[in-house]
């Protein structure tokens, strides 16, 4: 692999953007994060691991097709050493470069490869893993403390992830992530890159973890941890490095649809074909959040209790102002948007921390529509709202033509489980399950137990397996769907009579909110409720209502291909080796860096912890002194 040193332009942009970092901030985890607009931003992650995927004898086919598990391991390694040491692979005993760490990371990659169905490409076949499988893996490992976002390009909707989005999510949510680029053959028609045959013109792709995203002065640069490099040996990790892409915003035509993508470096020739690298997907993680609101305050509060633990720039709460107190809030397919009910209107809100346009009302052209009372998203990016005896559903990507279903009575609360919309109809003491069939939606009426307390103010939510929780006047009623309706589950309820709201998270945990605003997280199994004090939201103080931030995806089933490593050895990028001990980013290890290290002496988490063993101590000072001088 050819390594090209960073260009003067790259160094100039970096130097300009980081010149304004306040003294002492160099000890941050996300070292710098700013966002002015899509052409001026800086997102700099320090200490992102850069694990090799090629591991002779440790992975199938020596890990040739394991870029997905390797990049996922990078994210998990970053999580472990930035506030969540119990997450595998944990904090290294000495450093990531030791033989013991090497073996541990190899085991982690092998486990992830097995659980995600990563194929090895033995015998020259296509290989790798889809981005959605990596999303599921991250949710399974982090879903009680992080929210996972799966953003995948879709020519039909005109969406493609971008370097600017990476920086924006970094600024707004302190998110870090991995990206997927695809290699496409095509040709230029003027300034537009045209792909003639759709998926058959995709020549593979590659996953890499992101550690830089910068733009300014007309340049856009994306810095990544490329796992495809070979190891120094079979027992030690090769040097960590940032591989830079020059980014060009480019009009493309794929599947007959036009969209704008990030082109990564220039076009190149391989196998006699002209090819382009396209930024296809971004898979990010950010600390778990909850939305809170009440019936009196015209705002929606976003609460992120572990954000300051994750990064010193992380805010524990942010507020989105709205024109009226919300009745209900639903977590959108993108965490950058919220669906809410304001004065009975269903609106789409873009949240802070930056100023955004006013909420946009979703269209409902129905004379009998009296206003919405509750809403919820399903897994197919559809928003459902109930108002009176009408259930209205929109495609979130194209909400111009909503569908309408008439209920047998007035619905008040919605819960969605296994793709089925469940609507509470208090006057009839039943839940109506609305499903989509080949001939359109149809309903099944599910009566509630005769002794259930059902009020107009009652709310419902559900866990997988048809478990429904009816909350009425502080009393929680757990039930199970059976033939012909629901039956009560006989189990003791913790602090029954004190609850005012409930919400379900990614990992099937029930978050209960009491009248004092305290959130308790509970797993619900055959033996009843078991409180999960490790959950990010357990012990949170909120308002009168809550909605838990859920992991989201815009990927449609079957839209992702396996990764073919055909061009894995082609790397025409600028490469910048990490500079051990350079804490102030001036490409020199000197007295200033020693001063920053001594200022963080004894800290449990700092970029001055050079060996990543959890403490800034004499071993880190020794490493810094050994690296004293100009960076390579």
């Amino acid at each position: 692999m050819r390594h090209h040193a960073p260009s003067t332009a790259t160094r100039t942009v970096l130097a300009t953007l980081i010149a304004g970092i306040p003294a002492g901030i160099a000890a941050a985890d996300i070292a710098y994060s700013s966002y002015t607009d899509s052409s001026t931003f800086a997102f700099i992650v320090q200490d992102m691991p850069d694990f090799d995927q090629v591991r002779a004898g440790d992975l199938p086919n020596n890990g040739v097709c394991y870029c997905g598990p390797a990049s996922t391991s990078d994210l998990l390694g970053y999580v472990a050493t930035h506030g969540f040491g119990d997450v595998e692979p944990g904090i290294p005993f000495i450093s990531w470069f030791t033989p013991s760490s090497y073996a541990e990371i190899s085991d982690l990659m092998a486990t992830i490869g097995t659980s995600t169905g990563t194929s090895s490409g033995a015998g020259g076949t296509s290989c790798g893993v889809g981005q959605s499988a990596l999303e599921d893996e991250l949710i399974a490992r982090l879903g009680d403390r992080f929210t996972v976002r799966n953003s995948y390009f879709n020519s039909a909707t005109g969406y493609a992830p971008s370097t600017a989005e990476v920086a924006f999510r970094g600024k707004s949510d302190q998110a870090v992530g991995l990206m997927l680029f695809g290699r496409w053959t095509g040709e230029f028609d003027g300034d537009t890159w045209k792909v003639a045959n759709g998926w058959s013109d995709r020549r593979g792709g590659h996953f890499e973890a992101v550690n830089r995203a910068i733009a300014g002065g007309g340049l856009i640069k994306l810095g990544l941890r490329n796992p495809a490099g070979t190891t120094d040996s079979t027992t030690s990790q090769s040097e960590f490095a940032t591989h830079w892409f020059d980014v060009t915003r480019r009009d493309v035509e794929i599947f007959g649809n036009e969209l704008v993508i990030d082109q990564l470096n220039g076009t190149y020739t391989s196998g006699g074909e002209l090819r382009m690298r396209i930024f296809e997907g971004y898979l990010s993680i950010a600390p778990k959040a909850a939305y809170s609101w009440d019936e009196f305050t015209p705002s929606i509060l976003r609460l992120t209790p572990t954000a300051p633990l994750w990064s010193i720039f992380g805010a524990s709460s942010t507020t989105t102002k709205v024109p009226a107190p919300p009745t209900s809030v639903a977590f959108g397919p993108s965490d950058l948007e919220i669906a809410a009910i304001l004065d009975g209107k269903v609106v789409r809100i873009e949240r802070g921390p930056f100023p955004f346009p006013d909420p946009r009302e979703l269209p409902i052209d129905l004379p009998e529509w009296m206003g919405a009372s509750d809403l919820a998203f399903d897994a197919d990016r559809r928003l459902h709202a109930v108002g009176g005896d009408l259930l209205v559903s929109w495609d979130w990507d194209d909400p111009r033509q909503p569908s309408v279903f008439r209920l047998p009575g007035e619905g008040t609360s919605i819960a969605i489980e296994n793709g089925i919309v469940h609507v509470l109809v208090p006057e009839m003491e039943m839940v109506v399950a609305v499903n989509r069939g080949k001939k359109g939606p149809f309903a099944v009426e599910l009566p509630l137990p005769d002794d259930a307390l059902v009020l107009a103010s009652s709310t419902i939510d559900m866990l997988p397996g048809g478990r429904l929780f009816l909350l009425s006047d502080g009393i929680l009623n757990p039930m199970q769907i059976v033939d012909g309706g629901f039956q009560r589950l006989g189990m003791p309820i913790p602090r029954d009579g004190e609850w005012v709201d409930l919400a379900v998270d990614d990992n099937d945990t029930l978050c209960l909110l009491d009248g004092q605003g305290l959130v308790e997280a509970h797993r619900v199994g055959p033996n009843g409720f078991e409180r999960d004090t490790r959950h990010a939201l357990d012990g949170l103080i909120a308002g009168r209502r809550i909605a838990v931030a859920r992991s989201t995806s815009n990927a449609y089933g079957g839209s992702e291909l396996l990764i073919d490593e055909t061009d894995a050895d082609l790397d025409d990028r600028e490469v910048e080796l990490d500079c051990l001990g350079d804490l102030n980013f001036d490409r020199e290890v000197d007295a200033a860096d020693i001063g920053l290290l001594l200022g963080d002496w004894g800290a449990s988490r700092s970029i001055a912890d050079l060996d990543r063993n959890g403490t800034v101590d004499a071993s880190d000072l020794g490493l810094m002194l050994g690296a004293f001088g100009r960076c390579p």
Side-chain angles (χ1 to χ4, degrees), residues 89-289:
I91 298 173
F93 179 67
I94 299 176
S95 76
W96 292 127
F97 296 93
T98 62
S100 60
S101 295
Y102 184 92
E104 187 175 359
I105 297 303
S106 298
D107 291 342
L108 175 61
M109 286 187 198
T111 300
I112 293 174
T114 299
S115 61
T116 58
T118 302
S119 57
S120 66
T125 61
S126 295
C127 63
V129 63
Q131 187 168 302
S132 290
L134 300 181
E135 172 200 359
D136 293 341
E137 181 75 14
L138 288 170
I139 291 172
R141 290 174 177 269
L142 303 174
D144 55 352
R145 286 179 286 182
F146 286 80
T147 305
V148 182
R149 313 266 175 256
N150 184 3
S151 302
Y152 195 73
F153 93 103
N154 187 315
S155 63
T157 63
Y159 168 78
S162 66
T163 306
E165 181 180 336
V166 171
F168 185 87
R169 289 192 180 280
K171 173 64 176 177
S172 62
D173 292 345
Q174 301 293 287
V176 299
L178 59 86
M179 63 88 74
L180 167 67
F181 68 81
R183 308 178 184 95
W184 294 77
T185 184
E187 61 183 11
F188 282 106
D189 182 359
D191 291 331
T192 300
W193 175 261
K194 289 193 173 182
V195 175
N197 303 307
W199 289 119
S200 63
D201 285 337
R202 186 181 187 272
R203 297 295 184 258
H206 192 47
F207 287 108
E208 302 187 8
V210 181
N211 68 317
R212 303 284 193 270
I214 62 172
L219 296 176
I220 305 175
K221 310 283 290 188
L222 183 62
L224 300 141
R225 301 302 209 181
N226 181 11
T230 57
T231 58
D232 291 334
S233 70
T234 59
T235 59
S236 65
Q237 169 70 40
S238 59
E239 292 179 285
F240 288 6
T242 299
H243 291 240
W244 290 100
F245 272 131
D246 292 312
V247 179
T248 304
R249 296 291 288 161
R250 175 73 66 187
D251 294 327
V252 300
E253 184 180 299
I254 303 179
F255 312 116
N257 300 313
E258 297 180 354
L259 71 161
V260 180
I261 55 88
D262 274 10
Q263 174 187 343
L264 308 176
N265 277 10
T267 55
Y268 64 98
T269 300
S270 180
E273 298 177 321
L274 187 64
R275 298 180 180 179
M276 176 185 289
R277 299 181 193 87
I278 291 176
F279 190 166
E280 288 182 351
Y282 185 52
L283 188 58
S284 65
I285 59 173
K288 176 71 73 177

